[in-house]
Amino acid sequence: MTSFGYFLSCEEFTPAQLLDQARKAADAGFTRLAISDHFHPWNDAQGNSPLVWSMIGALSQTVDLPVTTLVTCPTMRLHPAVTAQAAATSSRLLDGRFALGVGTGEALNEHVLGDRWPSFDERADMLEEAVDVMRKLFTGRRISHRGTHYTVDNARLYTAPHGRLPVHVSGFGPKAAELAGRIGDGFVTMGPDEEAIGRFRDAGGGGKPVIGGLKVCWGEDRDKAVDTAHRLWPSEHLPGELAQILPTPAHFEQASRLVPREEVSANVPCGDDVEEHVEAVRGYLGAGFDEVYVGQIGPEQDAFFAAWRDKLLPALGGQGAGT
């Protein structure tokens, strides 16, 4: 049975707005939360970027829903030992309802300390070592590690995770999908790509959850909703590896000028046509996703949550809070 979660975008909303959305998501029938982990937004129009670990602490005192990071890069901006401590504390605050989604990162966030931006193969190797380090620390035992990329010297998490802490690995290409199958407790991929899921399963991911999601822009006026999505999230439609290698919001703004409004209109559910939104979500169900996270673009949050509760969730086979 697929579970539906709400995606909290740290790039687009203030901390107070994110907490308000979490409460409203629970009331609307969402059973999970995902939250992004960024140092920068994708563009200045989004305008925010609170620290995810502070947000998770606040969320743990606001709602009782499970929380997953989508996704954290534990390799450059934060050392994996520090990321492990943050994740373990989050697990304890959430009584074990925390999952750590990880990926190889984007230059947008990871360049800020002035480090060289490695190739994908090197970043994937760093991620594999980082996941190994974090899992050793999650045991609560004292560890030392001398690896290719990281050193850990007599470190112990005295506040270890509450039970087992899943590490879900993000991937958007064949190599990343296979890495996720080999080292991940689950696979994070945003689009309903059945080929990628097959690679994940074949590489060791059989029986492990597949996690993904989509952004929508609910609103009475479809043209206005398309304009909002095009203004705030054109970066979602950049081709190839641009999202991984562009270093600043200004660079994304420059590249996003090449994204036509029609591209957004054709690929982002916009407006108030229930069937358009439901069909987009059904694409994930048909591809075999276990968790689907939906994020509302723009200011019409209350209208979206009401629509999800009363129209979209019932159409997807769930029970709306208002029925």
Side-chain angles (χ1 to χ4, degrees):
M1 175 72 75
T2 303
S3 58
F4 297 113
Y6 187 72
F7 185 85
L8 298 167
S9 172
C10 286
E11 302 94 321
E12 194 183 333
F13 300 101
T14 67
Q17 288 172 326
L18 294 168
L19 295 178
D20 184 56
Q21 289 172 20
R23 286 187 286 264
K24 290 175 178 176
D27 291 342
F30 285 102
T31 59
R32 296 176 171 274
L33 297 171
I35 187 166
S36 55
D37 180 359
H38 268 236
F39 191 90
H40 287 141
W42 297 98
N43 55 50
D44 283 353
Q46 293 174 349
N48 287 283
S49 199
L51 180 67
V52 71
W53 304 111
S54 298
M55 289 306 311
I56 291 170
L59 287 168
S60 74
Q61 305 303 301
T62 302
V63 293
D64 294 327
L65 301 182
V67 178
T68 300
T69 56
L70 292 182
V71 291
T72 292
C73 179
T75 59
M76 296 183 68
R77 183 165 36 105
L78 287 182
H79 190 284
V82 178
T83 305
Q85 185 184 29
T89 300
S90 298
S91 177
R92 290 290 287 270
L93 284 168
L94 287 158
D95 292 326
R97 301 186 308 275
F98 176 72
L100 179 64
V102 298
T104 57
E106 304 95 9
L108 174 70
N109 303 301
E110 307 309 321
H111 84 279
V112 296
L113 302 182
D115 296 313
R116 174 183 64 86
W117 183 240
S119 68
F120 170 78
D121 286 343
E122 186 175 350
R123 298 197 323 268
D125 192 53
M126 294 170 71
L127 181 63
E128 183 168 2
E129 185 176 337
V131 169
D132 179 60
V133 167
M134 292 189 296
R135 285 200 172 115
K136 288 175 179 175
L137 285 165
F138 289 157
T139 65
R141 298 193 293 269
R142 187 180 306 278
I143 76 156
S144 291
H145 173 87
R146 299 286 186 276
T148 303
H149 304 286
Y150 305 108
T151 297
V152 180
D153 184 24
N154 287 306
R156 176 186 171 190
L157 295 182
Y158 279 82
T159 302
H162 186 103
R164 188 171 182 276
L165 199 166
V167 180
H168 302 316
V169 176
S170 174
F172 299 98
K175 291 181 180 179
E178 291 167 4
L179 177 67
R182 187 159 50 80
I183 72 169
D185 296 311
F187 180 38
V188 179
T189 184
M190 288 299 106
D193 185 340
E194 294 187 38
E195 181 180 350
I197 294 171
R199 286 183 178 272
F200 164 70
R201 298 288 188 211
D202 291 343
K208 298 177 183 178
V210 177
I211 300 112
L214 71 162
K215 290 183 173 63
V216 305
C217 194
W218 180 272
E220 292 183 359
D221 185 328
R222 191 178 194 279
D223 286 338
K224 183 178 178 181
V226 172
D227 289 340
T228 297
H230 186 244
R231 178 175 62 86
L232 291 172
W233 288 94
S235 56
E236 293 265 299
H237 309 280
L238 292 174
E241 296 183 54
L242 287 177
Q244 282 72 54
I245 65 175
L246 295 178
T248 69
H251 288 99
F252 277 93
E253 289 165 6
Q254 293 165 10
S256 294
R257 292 172 192 159
L258 302 175
V259 177
R261 182 182 182 278
E262 293 73 23
E263 176 81 8
V264 174
S265 179
N267 291 285
V268 179
C270 290
D272 61 358
D273 183 331
V274 171
E275 192 59 25
E276 179 179 351
H277 287 261
V278 168
E279 280 304 306
V281 176
R282 282 181 180 149
Y284 290 80
L285 307 186
F289 279 70
D290 298 281
E291 300 172 20
V292 179
Y293 294 90
V294 183
Q296 163 71 5
I297 298 170
E300 300 295 330
Q301 298 292 321
D302 288 347
F304 168 75
F305 286 125
W308 179 265
R309 178 192 64 212
D310 298 331
K311 300 176 181 179
L312 303 177
L313 184 56
L316 288 163
Q319 180 67 33
T323 61

